Amino acid sequence: EQKHHFPVHFVGHPLIDAIKQQKSSNLAEFQTQNGLSNLPIIALLPGSRKQELTKMLSVLLSVVPDFPDYQFVIAGAPSQEYAVYQPFIQGDQVKFISNNTYELLQHATAALVTSGTATLETALFKVPEVVCYKGSWASYQIAKRIITLKYISLVNLIMDKEVVTELIQDNCNRTQLKKELHRILAPESRAVLLQQYEELEAKLGGAGASKKTAQLIVRSLQ
């Protein structure tokens, strides 16, 4: 059972409160209720906007054949209908769970996550992750000229260093995803990443952390 300890200075932040209040669930029951196998879970958090998530799922699922000993579980957004995801749910290795991301993260071994608040949520659940983003060429070129942030994930922005790997645009491809997913599944790399998550959690307890994180969330969504 994973336990999440949050520094007192950060208690009261809506995101932290929501994660703290998430009740631990039994893995066997979770698997049965959602039609999952006993294979370890790689969670896919492709975002909530239709155009974004369909583009991302095509890329994220490209690595499924490279990881036969895992099952890939798509976290469905409450704002999207099942029909949006249905074309991607093919084969025994790909599963779908709607509007239950926190419980999925409780039981995930690793995750592939698009940019946004989900990158921070995944880290707070202590799940090794690779952050992925692939937009249209035009929107990406515009964003590069307008947004001056060094990173796209809240984890790296808060830590002010690359804690989680960010695969952006052309780097977000099967070859790179396969490489990075293998890396975070390796025991030594996982141990290093989880230690950095502990440092992230501690940093969130510092003075002004709630305000800083809120500002980063707003900037990342603009």
Side-chain angles (χ1 to χ4, degrees):
E1 179 184 343
Q2 287 183 319
K3 294 183 179 180
H4 310 289
H5 304 285
F6 298 95
V8 65
H9 293 95
F10 207 65
V11 172
H13 187 284
L15 179 58
I16 300 299
D17 284 349
I19 292 175
K20 283 181 65 179
Q21 291 165 10
Q22 175 69 26
K23 295 180 180 178
S24 296
S25 66
N26 179 274
L27 174 58
E29 291 180 2
F30 178 72
Q31 292 169 332
T32 301
Q33 291 170 358
N34 293 284
L36 305 183
S37 70
N38 292 325
L39 293 176
I41 295 169
I42 295 175
L44 304 181
L45 281 63
S48 58
R49 290 174 292 193
K50 183 178 180 180
Q51 185 175 6
E52 174 189 66
L53 71 87
T54 54
K55 180 187 288 289
M56 291 307 305
L57 278 175
S58 296
V59 181
L60 301 182
L61 290 170
S62 68
V63 301
V64 171
D66 301 305
F67 296 88
D69 296 328
Y70 294 85
Q71 58 184 324
F72 289 73
V73 183
I74 301 169
S79 59
Q80 296 297 334
E81 297 179 354
Y82 176 72
V84 174
Y85 301 94
Q86 192 171 16
F88 300 96
I89 307 169
Q90 300 178 3
D92 294 335
Q93 270 187 273
V94 182
K95 308 291 184 179
F96 173 80
I97 293 177
S98 180
N99 196 24
N100 199 7
T101 302
Y102 280 7
E103 189 172 8
L104 172 60
L105 288 174
Q106 278 187 10
H107 300 297
T109 298
L112 302 178
V113 188
T114 57
S115 60
T117 56
T119 63
L120 180 57
E121 292 169 320
T122 302
L124 291 174
F125 272 104
K126 304 300 189 294
V127 181
E129 65 182 303
V130 179
V131 176
C132 317
Y133 179 77
K134 197 177 186 74
S136 69
W137 182 88
S139 62
Y140 177 65
Q141 293 301 318
I142 293 171
K144 275 205 310 183
R145 288 158 174 76
I146 296 175
I147 301 174
T148 58
L149 295 176
K150 192 188 303 184
Y151 304 106
I152 65 169
S153 71
L154 286 171
V155 175
N156 292 343
L157 286 167
I158 293 168
M159 294 294 286
D160 197 26
K161 64 179 181 179
E162 188 178 64
V163 171
V164 296
T165 298
E166 299 181 352
L167 298 180
I168 307 171
Q169 288 303 103
D170 292 342
N171 286 328
C172 186
N173 57 58
R174 179 178 178 177
T175 300
Q176 290 296 99
L177 279 171
K178 177 183 175 181
K179 173 185 173 184
E180 292 301 328
L181 189 50
H182 271 302
R183 185 182 64 80
I184 65 172
L185 288 170
E188 185 175 332
S189 296
R190 288 177 62 84
V192 172
L193 185 51
L194 292 176
Q195 177 57 45
Q196 291 178 316
Y197 282 170
E198 293 293 337
E199 294 173 13
L200 167 70
E201 196 172 285
K203 192 166 186 175
L204 289 177
S210 295
K211 182 178 180 180
K212 179 181 178 182
T213 305
Q215 290 172 339
L216 288 171
I217 291 173
V218 170
R219 291 178 66 185
S220 71
L221 295 175
Q222 289 178 337

